[in-house]
Structures are given as structure tokens and as C-alpha cells.
Amino acid sequence: MKRTDFDIIVIGGGHAGIEASLASARLGIKTLLITLSIDSIGRMSCNPAIGGLAKGHLVTEIDSLGGEMAKATDATGIQFKMLNMSKGRSVWSPRAQADKIKYSLYMQGVLQSQDNLSILEDCATGILVDNNTLIGVLSESHGEISCKKAILTCGTFLNGLIHIGLDHFPGGRIGERPASGLTESLVRAGIISGRLKTGTTPRIRKDSIDFSKTIVQYGDEKPFPFSFLTENFSPPNIPCYITNTNPHTHEILRGGLDRSPLYAGIIKSIGPRYCPSIEDKIVRFHERASHQIFLEPEWTNADEYYVNGFATSLPIDIQLKSLHTIPGLENAVIVRPGYAIEYDFFPSYQLNSCLETKKISGLYLSGQINGTSGYEEAAALGLVAGINAALSLKKESPLVLGRDESYIGVLVDDLITKSPEEPYRMFTSSAEHRLLLRFDNSDIRLAEKGYKTGLTPPTIYKNATEKNRILTESLRYLKTHSLSLDHTNQILSRIQRAPASGSFTLFKLLCRPEIHYQHIEPYLPQDISSAIRSFRDLGDQIEVESKYEGYIKRNRILVDSFKSHEGIRIPLDFNYRNISSLTIEAREKLTKFRPETLGQASRIPGVSPSDVTSLLILLRK
Amino acid sequence: MPRKAKTTIVALSTPPGFGAISIIRLSGQKSLEIAGKLTRPPTPPTPNVVQFARIWKEERFIDEIMLTYFKSPRSYTGEDMIEFSCHGSPYVIESIIDLCLQCGAVMAKPGEFTRRAFFNGKIDLLRAESVADLIYSNTQSAHRESSRQLLGEGGAYFRHLKQRIIQIISMLELELDFSDQDISFMSHGQVEHEIRSIQQDIRILMKTFSYGKMVRAGLYVPIVGPPNSGKSSLFNALLQEERVIVSPIPGTTRDTIEESIQKDGYQFRLVDTAGLRDTNEILESAGISRSRKTIQLADLLLFVVDARSHLADFYDILPTKTDEVIIVINKSDIADYKTTLNLQNELSEYKTIVVSAKKRIGIHELSTIMVNYVKGKQPSEEYFVLTQKRHFLELKKMSGFLKHAESSLKHLTTAEMIVIDLRLALSCLDEILGKTVNDDILNNIFNKFCIGK
């Protein structure tokens, strides 16, 4: 292939790389995606599922910004379920089980038919830098390819090392070669790297499972789609199956610990705390007699099942023996063993809020190499990097998302201010503005910004604007209109509550825990109630905003005091070392992280409020 | 404030006026340099060693001093510090400070040394506050409470409370973020129970404030009563009997006749309302007068009556709250025994004592009753005593948030809303501990100091 100029090169065709390259190409930038294998684009290394607690939020936000993951999931998912439905609506999270093969093919199709996007099957072995500016990428078979910006989205492939028991061998994913050279090239350019580990579960043959010993679990009957563009949503509803480990299982696992790469000290890198391997679980939670296992089909009519909850890197014989003690899996046949993988990553304090490295201009790092875990986190980061690299080339202002408007904002900000040393995943509790960030209002929050960048489809933007208008006007109506005493008591008697003595505004009524939207709907004027009906569940959303309003106000008290600090910028070359009013730890951390704003500075661990005050005073001068 | 990192401050750290020794403190980058310029021959100081030096102003000898150098960060403020111990002559003091100013130091503002200590992370906010208290503590009891705070006991107590709330928040967050895994969570009943337990502890702590307030500032004890009952005589008698102390708390209004006495480690601020110009207003039932306010602010009232009078004579001005009053039946030396006994019986609902201020009879017993009153309010030793109003108010706010959380739990509101109230409760504790910094709060605290601290 001729050495052509590309504006942006994306290295790695995983979830981050897909979003980055699509965003860039769709914004009119000449983009090249380099991947080790075109067939492996969009592959899910671990759980055949998209979404889940907090992760589902990320997917709907990706959709509102014009990303692809939500649409792909809606098109190829085999089971959809809303989690946390017994709790408040702000923590409802959609989750889908995926057909891995269809998902991957869908993404390949989208990429291959995308204008401005070329795909190259090759191995990127280095970056080319001149005077701390990125000027190109070095590839194994095609030599130097010049570009203006490069986005690395290499996932677990950089010097990937797979561990099964005491065996280990290089690999980016099982059956796939790792990538070498890139890390070393970045390190030579002055970027710091580290090492992380993650793991996955064994896959077993469907016909070796005795389903009669398991409990079947279906998805929701009328599920919510992920994408705001999806209409007439009636996906398949393929069940998964639940079983449990038992003390006998644990005994066998324990017996194999001396041949576990982690416990034998061969793996020293840190794994995800929240996604422990089964051996981690029996060691850490040794009082528990059993752990839950979900058996999930990897694709429609799959003959391979994923054993959710059983991530492991123990030797294959131990994996087999322990599986055989689990009800339903007495005769299980392992198609692919569970394994642990170690890989290079780049601590994220080195990045700014566009995910560009502070050291090398034009070099962006996103996805699992930032130290995150999860497809959704990777996709969100890929999208942010892709959009910002493109906007930067177009000389437009960057897309920076606040912590109060999106989980993506929380994700990026947490990465650059906390720079986790162990794999980071999204939690609702990470968002101090959790009540504002629901899965159903991602479009209201983000569509406008996304539309301005040029990526969000006009339909999403239009619908979001309309939805917001109806929402705002309905709330205003509710606050300014009271129900007659008769009508109020009608409602109260219907829900078997004592009659009221005075009349309330509709809003006040709706704030009561026992009163729901459908109770007051009959009393609303026709034009309002029909407008609300034009969007799915908008009535419920109005109810939630009413009930939450008091809490949202209280939450604002908590966070507003530091809001002003977001706007105070800190010069990049600010010298912290000479400021004796800062503690030594603060000086070190601030010099290392180089926060862009005072708000960011305040979130860095080790920087105390008194340090922030000192900075505030110095910056004001 | 902007001068903070750059300037070197100087101030007199001991009370002004003639004294044997005075201490002048320097803090900042130029401290060492200035000390070198002042002393002749220049004595390069060794850290933490008291050294002899002589100070000269041009050709004039000023003083022989002892000099101590504290090298950053091992000093009170965390910066380089120099302490000059000089002879306590106002001229000497002024000359030394002048020389420092000429060499580039600036006058310290009130509390600036302690402020720098706080900003340099040498002490937390609670300790900073307690330094002020320790300086002003003039009784054993006040000293005991402020030293507990200085020693970090207060901080430890609040941090422990904080941990308990963080525990609950974590449990609730766990429930929200891990509901897809088979982990057991804290039940809402358990959460409610724990919140109620924390509420109880806060309530006990808040109760200690009335005692703590009295201990820290001394009990405010106005002497009131109908005219000619001998209020001034009693006032003087108490002053003669017990040790008078001078209360240096700045900002005390001195438009009353007030003197402080100390007994058994407690301070009592006696107010002679007979000395007030508008004494007669005490007898009026309407209108807001200074004396009325005095009575309202009282921690303990001494209501003085003539032993020869009857209840009916002063019934309309008798305070209604029986436990905060001691009725002093005065002039026992000239009253009829039976009449006195009668009067005492009429006032059986109150604590009464029969004295003769003129003849100094019963005065000692009266002051003992006063001490017992305070002692009666003392919480048991194990409880940390709240002495700062700021802390009391924050705890009150916190209690409100916890109450809201409790009621949310009852209404089955889901966890993400309950967490907000708990976080707000947590922020109150952060305010107390000085973890969240509010410029106003800081200014309030440090302005209480006087210059040189």
C-alpha cells in the first residue's frame, strides 16, 4: 500500500478504536485504522454483554454523542434487562447479553462502509515524534505512515502475556498475537508505562451442560433499547442459566493455588478489584459457602457458553475438576480455558481532558490502556479521543464534559485527577451528581453538545430538544396548578390513603412517595398528557424529577461550593515547588498531574482543601 | 493573605507592658537573614539551641538576648522561625521590632502565626482553635477542656463519628452499585438503627455545650434583685472572699460592672447590676432593657432580697426558672430570725441561702453552692466536651440532616436519595474538622487571636 498521508491514525480495532475511528471519519477527517486482524474488530474478550450498572449509562451517553455502541447492541443483542428496577430511577441501568459474532460483524460492516475511513491490517510498532510532536506511526509491513494525530486504543495487546496455571505465553487475547514495540517507543518519547492484569472465564460446550440442574433467567419482556434512534424494539429473549459453586468446588480451587500464577507470585501486576477471579473470591471471601455462577450463551444458538463469575488463571486440570463439582456442570467440557492476561498501560495523569498526552502533542491514548476495564468505558474514552482529535484538527474548541452532565465526564475526570493504579470501572457512586444522570435523559444532557460537534444525528438532537421542552413545560404546569379537593381525594381514596384537608399543587402531590404519574394523568389537560405520551416513559421521568427535586437541591449545596473552582485555570507551567504554603505531598502531586483547572487540582488525592485555598489566593493575584 | 508565602512576619508574643522577659517572634524565609543582621557580632544560630547574642542598632547597644532558631519545617509555623527573648522594656521591644521591619519583615496580623501553622499543615483547624482557647483559659477547668482539644481528642472524636457515617454511606452505595452480584447488604432496618445511635451520640455531645460554654468563657452570673437588697455589698463580698481574675478575652463588653472570680477551678463572671444606670428597669415588666438582656444571657442568677421583706414585695420580678437561680436572702445580721425563716419557707421552690454581705457571713457557703451548680452540669469524664459555638451549630445542622435521612428511610425512599442527606451530614463534620475550607470560617477563627499568636 502506498504511503499516503492520513490526518488521524487509530491503532487498535477494539471498542475504543471503533468509536475513535468512526467519530473521526464522520467528522470529515481522513482516518486510518490499523488493526492486527480485521476479523477481530469488535471482538468481546470476556463477558458477552454490554451495559450493566453505571456502564449502561455510558452506552446511552455514547449514543447521544453520536457513537455507535448503542446501535450495535440494539441490533445484535439476544437478551435485554433493566437492572436496579427495584431502586430509584436514577440508578436503573440497562444491560444486554450480546451475540458476539453478530456484534463483531455489525461493527466491521459499519467501519468498512464508512466514508473517510481506511482499514489496514498490520502491526503498529512505534510512533514517530519530532520535537515532542507526533508526526507519524511506524508499522511492521508498511513502514512509516505520516499523520497529524494518532490515537492509541490497543486494549490488552501491548506486550500481552497470557497465564494459564504456571504456563505463560505471549498473546493479546487467546489465539491472537500481542503487539510489541509501541510501549517501548512511547517510553523513549518520555511517556511512563505500567502493567495491569485482567482475566476471563472458561468457555464450555453447551451440550455438556445439564440445564435441568440450573435456574433459568429471561430478560425483560418489554425492554428498553440503548439507542435513542431505535424504534419498534422487539429483540430476542434468550435466557441465561444460574447455578452455584459449593465448598467442594472451593476445596479443589484452594488445592490449586500453588499453581496459580498470581498466588505463586508470577503475576505481580494488579487486577481489577471489582471483578475478582474465582480464586480471589474464595481467598478473600473465605467464609462464603457458595458463589453464584451465570451460564450465558456467547451468541444465538451458540454451542459455547460463558461461565460468568468464574474468571480464573488456574491450571486447566483444576479448572475442569472444580467445574465438575458445580450442579449442571458435572460433565462440562472446556472449549477454551479461563486465563489471566498481563498488559501494558499508561497511567492517566499524563493526559489532559481531551485524552491527549501532555508530553507529546498529537498523541492520544484511550481505552483499556488508560487503566480502565470494560467495553463501555473503553468505547466512551475512544469516542472522547476521536471527537477531540478531530475538533483539534478543525481548530474548533474541544468537547469537555462536566461531572454534572455525564458519566463520561466523571470517567475522564477521575482518570486524569486520580490516575488509578488498578483497573478502573464506572460506578454510580463515583458520580456526585448521580441524581441528575439517568439513562433516560442522556439525550437531554448531551445531544446539544454532540450536535454542535457535528457527530450527533439530527434526529436525536431534535427529539431531545422536544422531549426537554415537554418536560420543562409539564413541570411548570404541575407547579402552578392545583387539583381541586374533590379530585385530590379521589386519587387518595383510590390508593387507600386518608383524605386531604386542603388542596395541593399537582407537583406537591406527585412528590409524595405513594403517588405516581398515572394517578394524576387523568387530571391533566389533553394537550399536555398527549405530548407526554409521545415519548416512552416520559410521565415516569416527570414523576422522578418531581420526587428528586428536593434532593437535587440539597445535593447542589454539597457540590456548588467548589463549582467556581472549575473555571479557574492553572497555567501549565505553574511552578508548584516554590510554594511553601503547599504541603510537600501536594507539591509533588500537582507537579506530576499538572491539573488544568483549580477544580481538577482539588480532586487530586493528596491535595488538601487548605492547599486549594492557597492556590486560589495565589492564582487570584 | 496574599503575602503568605513570601513575607517574613514579626510580632511581640508576650503581653505588652513592663516585664522581666519578652519574646519577639519572626517567621518566614528572611528570619535567619534578619537575625544575622541584628546581632553583632553575627551569631549564626544552631537550630533548637538557645544562644546568647547582643543586639545593636547602628552604634547603639540595645539588649543582651537569648536567641532560638527553629529550622523549617520543625517550627510552630512550619517556616524558619527565630525567637528573641529580650528584657521586657517597651523601648527594647520597640527597637528590636523596628530593626526587624527595617530589614524587611512585616508586622504580623492577629493570629497570623497560627494561620501559617494551619496552612502549612502543622495543626488542624480544631487544634488551631484550641490554641486560642488555651491562651485564654484562666481556670483549671477551661484549661482541661481546651487541652483535650489541643491534644487532638476532639479531632479523634469527630473523625470517629465521620467513620461511622462513611460506613453507612458505603453500605448503601454497595447496594446500588453491586445489586447484580450476590453480596449481602446492610438492611434498611440496620441503617436506621445506626443513624439513630449516631443521633443519640450527637445529642449527648450537644448537651455538653452548655457546660463547655460555661467552662470556656466562665459562668455569666448577674446579681439582680429589688432595690436596696444589698446587691453591691454582695458583689464586693464575693470579690473579697474569692480570687479575682482578669479576663483577657477580647471583645467583652465593659459597659457593665463586671468582675471575675475563680473558685475550685471554675470562673464566675459576676455582674453588679446595681451599678447599672437603669437599675429601676429591673422592676418594670415591659420593655427591653439592658438588664433584661443580662438576665436572659445569665448562666446563673443571684437574686438578692432583703431578709426582712416578704414574697409579695418582689413576687412580680422573681424569675420563673427555678433551677438557674439562687436566691440570696441578705442582711441576716439585722433581720428577725422568724421573718427570715418565713421568707425562706415561702421560697422553698428555689435554692436559697441566708447571708450577711456586710458581716461576711455565709459568703463562702454561697460560692460553694455556685460551684456545685456548675459541677452538676458536668458530663461524665469520658465525654468530650464541646466548647465552641461553631461546633455546636454544625452539629445541630448535622442532626437535621440525619433526621431527614431517618424519615426518608421510613418512607422507603431509595438509597440514592438517603445518601445525599448522609453526605450533607458528613460535610458538617468536615466543616468542624476544617477539611472543607471556607474563607469566612478561617477569618473568624484567626481573628480571635491577638497579634503575636
Side-chain angles (χ1 to χ4, degrees), chain A residues 562 609-610 613, chain B residues 118-119 430-431 434-439 441-442:
Chain A
F562 291 107
S610 46
T613 306
Chain B
F118 172 70
F119 276 111
D430 276 341
E431 287 277 344
K435 294 254 174 288
T436 55
V437 151
N438 186 314
D439 258 0
I441 295 179
L442 285 183

Side-chain angles (χ1 to χ4, degrees), chain B residues 33-318:
Chain B
E33 184 194 316
I34 294 174
K37 287 198 187 140
L38 262 60
T39 55
R40 214 180 298 164
T43 348
T46 315
N48 302 332
V49 173
V50 182
Q51 295 164 265
F52 177 79
R54 288 198 179 92
I55 300 204
W56 291 77
K57 183 174 182 168
E58 283 138 16
E59 295 316 312
R60 203 177 309 163
F61 165 78
I62 299 292
D63 197 11
E64 286 181 342
I65 58 151
M66 298 305 279
L67 185 151
T68 319
Y69 166 46
F70 299 96
K71 189 171 154 74
S72 162
R74 307 187 112 192
S75 67
Y76 180 67
T77 57
E79 305 170 325
D80 273 348
M81 284 185 78
I82 297 273
E83 277 186 13
F84 301 111
S85 293
C86 60
H87 289 94
S89 131
Y91 172 71
V92 164
I93 294 166
E94 201 185 306
S95 305
I96 296 180
I97 292 184
D98 246 358
L99 283 170
C100 291
L101 295 175
Q102 278 174 32
C103 292
V106 292
M107 282 305 297
K109 296 205 284 226
E112 195 163 354
F113 288 93
T114 307
R115 188 194 285 259
R116 289 190 180 197
F118 172 70
F119 276 111
N120 288 332
K122 302 290 290 181
I123 49 175
D124 65 34
L125 200 63
L126 282 169
R127 293 230 182 99
E129 283 175 318
S130 61
V131 167
D133 282 354
L134 197 68
I135 294 172
Y136 298 128
S137 67
N138 44 27
T139 59
Q140 188 191 51
S141 54
H143 177 267
R144 180 178 58 229
E145 299 313 335
S146 61
S147 49
R148 279 173 91 180
Q149 192 166 329
L150 184 65
L151 289 172
E153 230 182 272
Y157 188 82
F158 292 122
R159 269 187 287 271
H160 180 63
L161 264 181
K162 198 175 159 184
Q163 260 317 108
R164 289 171 72 185
I165 298 191
I166 289 180
Q167 225 354 59
I168 305 178
I169 295 179
S170 312
M171 286 291 122
L172 291 172
E173 296 286 13
L174 196 72
E175 193 190 308
L176 290 170
D177 280 327
F178 287 91
S179 56
D180 59 348
Q181 294 185 38
D182 54 337
I183 308 178
S184 50
F185 312 112
M186 211 181 195
S187 74
H188 280 204
Q190 288 172 297
V191 172
E192 225 184 306
H193 180 78
E194 177 63 356
I195 293 181
R196 250 184 270 132
S197 161
I198 295 178
Q199 282 276 54
Q200 207 173 343
D201 286 344
I202 294 179
R203 234 171 280 135
I204 295 176
L205 193 58
M206 283 172 72
K207 277 216 194 96
T208 69
F209 182 58
S210 60
Y211 173 76
K213 193 165 52 112
M214 288 194 283
V215 149
R216 183 170 167 265
L219 278 96
Y220 190 60
V221 187
I223 302 176
V224 298
N228 299 325
S229 52
K231 294 185 286 292
S232 293
S233 312
L234 183 66
F235 181 72
N236 287 318
L238 280 166
L239 290 180
Q240 293 230 334
E241 182 79 18
E242 308 297 343
R243 197 148 64 82
V244 177
I245 47 181
V246 177
S247 168
I249 297 178
T252 326
T253 48
R254 296 312 209 129
D255 53 355
T256 51
I257 308 298
E258 185 181 310
E259 292 288 349
S260 289
I261 57 168
Q262 196 236 91
K263 186 180 169 80
D264 284 359
Y266 293 99
Q267 181 185 356
F268 299 90
R269 288 154 49 206
L270 304 173
V271 183
D272 179 8
T273 60
L276 296 172
R277 280 175 288 121
D278 37 352
T279 313
N280 292 327
E281 287 173 58
I282 297 176
L283 304 176
E284 291 168 23
S285 49
I288 299 172
S289 66
R290 203 170 356 136
S291 347
R292 256 182 158 251
K293 214 166 152 232
T294 301
I295 292 173
Q296 269 175 6
L297 294 173
D299 290 314
L300 179 64
L301 264 181
L302 293 181
F303 193 83
V304 188
V305 296
D306 192 320
R308 300 165 294 176
S309 60
H310 299 279
L311 180 58
D313 297 336
F314 51 81
Y315 186 70
D316 54 339
I317 55 166
L318 195 59

Side-chain angles (χ1 to χ4, degrees), chain A residues 88-211:
Chain A
R89 206 177 163 102
S90 74
V91 291
W92 284 19
S93 298
R95 182 185 184 271
Q97 256 172 255
D99 178 323
K100 282 184 161 178
I101 298 179
K102 279 204 185 128
Y103 187 91
S104 184
L105 287 173
Y106 175 102
M107 285 305 198
Q108 285 165 37
V110 170
L111 288 172
Q112 274 158 344
S113 56
Q114 178 62 47
D115 286 340
N116 298 319
L117 180 59
S118 312
I119 308 179
L120 179 66
E121 198 170 88
D122 196 348
C123 180
T125 52
I127 53 167
L128 303 164
V129 175
D130 178 32
N131 200 22
N132 287 328
T133 307
L134 183 103
I135 53 169
V137 169
L138 191 61
S139 68
E140 209 170 54
S141 313
H142 294 85
E144 292 180 12
I145 311 176
S146 62
C147 65
K148 298 192 184 129
K149 308 223 182 251
I151 307 178
L152 266 63
T153 52
C154 314
T156 58
F157 279 70
L158 293 177
N159 292 317
L161 192 63
I162 294 182
H163 294 262
I164 306 180
L166 297 175
D167 290 329
H168 49 85
F169 46 91
R173 202 161 28 217
I174 199 138
E176 299 181 50
R177 57 170 287 202
S180 289
L182 254 185
T183 308
E184 292 74 3
S185 168
L186 262 72
V187 168
R188 275 194 301 274
I191 307 285
I192 313 282
S193 76
R195 204 103 167 111
L196 287 175
K197 93 155 174 88
T198 187
T200 187
T201 78
R203 315 300 199 258
I204 54 181
R205 269 179 59 171
K206 177 183 183 184
D207 55 13
S208 67
I209 303 173
D210 181 0
F211 290 99

Side-chain angles (χ1 to χ4, degrees), chain A residues 2-34:
Chain A
K2 227 180 356 157
R3 225 183 299 143
T4 347
D5 275 338
F6 286 94
D7 291 331
I8 292 182
I9 297 182
V10 176
I11 305 178
H15 305 285
I18 290 171
E19 299 293 344
S21 47
L22 283 176
S24 167
R26 284 169 177 169
L27 287 174
I29 307 290
K30 192 166 177 208
T31 314
L32 174 70
L33 171 64
I34 302 182

Side-chain angles (χ1 to χ4, degrees), chain A residues 427-441:
Chain A
F427 288 110
T428 63
S429 52
S430 307
E432 61 273 21
H433 296 273
R434 174 170 47 197
L435 292 190
L436 297 171
L437 310 177
R438 303 194 305 269
F439 82 95
D440 57 39
N441 66 6

Side-chain angles (χ1 to χ4, degrees), chain A residues 429-558:
Chain A
S429 52
S430 307
E432 61 273 21
H433 296 273
R434 174 170 47 197
L435 292 190
L436 297 171
L437 310 177
R438 303 194 305 269
F439 82 95
D440 57 39
N441 66 6
S442 308
D443 56 346
I444 292 180
R445 293 182 271 118
L446 295 173
E448 186 173 347
K449 271 197 176 168
Y451 184 68
K452 288 214 174 89
T453 65
L455 201 58
T456 302
T459 319
I460 294 187
Y461 174 55
K462 239 180 25 134
N463 286 341
T465 317
E466 177 65 4
K467 192 164 86 169
N468 198 21
R469 185 191 67 80
I470 299 176
L471 189 69
T472 325
E473 285 182 13
S474 307
L475 281 170
R476 199 179 320 149
Y477 181 88
L478 294 177
K479 286 183 181 167
T480 52
H481 290 79
S482 300
L483 213 52
S484 73
L485 194 57
D486 273 345
H487 287 159
T488 308
N489 287 329
Q490 260 175 29
I491 298 178
L492 289 172
S493 71
R494 209 171 296 147
I495 56 171
Q496 283 139 11
R497 287 280 189 278
S501 50
S503 71
F504 299 94
T505 59
L506 286 157
F507 182 79
K508 266 250 125 69
L509 263 180
L510 204 50
C511 283
R512 301 175 78 167
E514 345 62 281
I515 296 191
H516 303 295
Y517 176 71
Q518 60 261 45
H519 295 135
I520 62 161
E521 197 199 6
Y523 305 96
L524 294 175
Q526 180 67 342
D527 56 332
I528 293 189
S529 58
S530 61
I532 293 175
R533 235 175 292 130
S534 62
F535 286 96
R536 176 175 181 178
D537 264 20
L538 191 53
D540 290 341
Q541 293 173 42
I542 290 173
E543 179 186 335
V544 152
E545 299 232 350
S546 313
K547 292 188 160 72
Y548 275 177
E549 198 180 78
Y551 290 94
I552 291 178
K553 282 210 183 94
R554 295 161 93 74
N555 197 37
R556 282 217 186 277
I557 302 171
L558 212 43

